[in-house]
Amino acid sequence: MKKSLCPFLLLVLCSFAGSASWAQMSVGLRAGANFANFVVQDDENYPFKPKPGLNFAVLFNFPIGPSTSIQLEPGFSQRGTRVRMKSEDLINGQQLKIDVKGTLSVNYIELPVLFQYRPKLGKLEGLFSIGPEVRLLAGNLKAKSTSKAYVDGELVASESQDETYSFGEDSRKFDFGMVGGAGLSYPMGALRIFAEGRYHLGLRNLATSVDGDDAKLYNRGASAHIGVLFQVGK
């Protein structure tokens, strides 16, 4: 899948570079926050929660109609998840409580390829985006955790860990999925300012089978963005 997608994306870039829309293209920047999560399929009780992170991208917008365009967004994205686990037991008449907090963090180089529709809303424009996105892991998985033990409400032990894990197979370094979003933009001549919310639906299983365990783990979650586009053609 990875080898077949790369030539396709290169073909898309070359097609737009050689088209008439190049003369009307816009370039820009966007930045925002991810509220990313690892989703384990068929396990609603898994203790993963959304984790905030940063994202930014360079934008290349190619109009294909009065209110439609194709936008390429090569950029960087921080993803991962938060973990929170609690347990309580009664041992020899004493209440034992364990509280574990942690984060898993990964960085990606990513490329969304979006079809965008901008209907007129008075002085504003609506903004609707949908399309595929691919991402490649940049670095290793970083895990941080803190565990605390309480006896009858009194802290008796505390431990912190900071570890780094490498991905053993290339297939886990590469991810793909779909992204869709909605927002508003404000055109000011050749300049356009916009704000948008999106949802990222990872479609590739990032987990590998261990001892017959067919776990399915996906990159998913929401994001929020602000950005600016500037028309460079006439």
Side-chain angles (χ1 to χ4, degrees), residues 115-217:
F115 171 80
Q116 294 192 324
Y117 172 56
R118 290 188 173 89
K120 293 291 184 180
L121 301 173
K123 293 184 178 180
L124 297 175
E125 294 177 341
L127 175 59
F128 300 94
S129 305
I130 190 168
E133 61 180 353
V134 295
R135 58 176 63 96
L136 181 66
L137 190 72
N140 296 321
L141 173 70
K142 296 181 180 181
K144 295 183 179 181
S145 65
T146 301
S147 58
K148 297 181 179 181
Y150 301 84
V151 175
D152 292 335
E154 181 180 350
L155 179 65
V156 296
S158 179
E159 181 181 4
S160 296
Q161 292 184 332
D162 190 346
E163 299 176 312
T164 300
Y165 300 94
S166 61
F167 283 79
E169 298 182 9
D170 288 343
S171 61
R172 299 185 65 190
K173 296 180 180 180
F174 178 72
D175 188 23
F176 62 84
M178 296 293 295
V179 58
L184 292 171
S185 68
Y186 182 65
M188 298 183 295
L191 190 68
R192 178 185 291 119
I193 301 171
F194 67 89
E196 186 181 17
R198 295 177 179 175
Y199 183 78
H200 305 262
L201 182 69
L203 297 176
R204 188 169 207 191
N205 181 15
L206 302 179
T208 56
S209 178
V210 178
D211 297 329
D213 180 13
D214 295 327
K216 294 183 178 180
L217 180 73

Side-chain angles (χ1 to χ4, degrees), residues 19 30 54 67 73 81 95 117 173 176 184 204 224 228:
S19 70
R30 67 160 170 80
L54 299 177
S67 58
E73 302 185 354
T81 190
Q95 186 182 43
Y117 172 56
K173 296 180 180 180
F176 62 84
L184 292 171
R204 188 169 207 191
V228 60

Side-chain angles (χ1 to χ4, degrees), residues 76-88:
F76 173 82
S77 179
Q78 293 180 330
R79 307 191 71 82
T81 190
R82 294 185 297 119
V83 182
R84 181 72 183 271
M85 294 182 288
K86 294 182 179 181
S87 64
E88 295 186 18

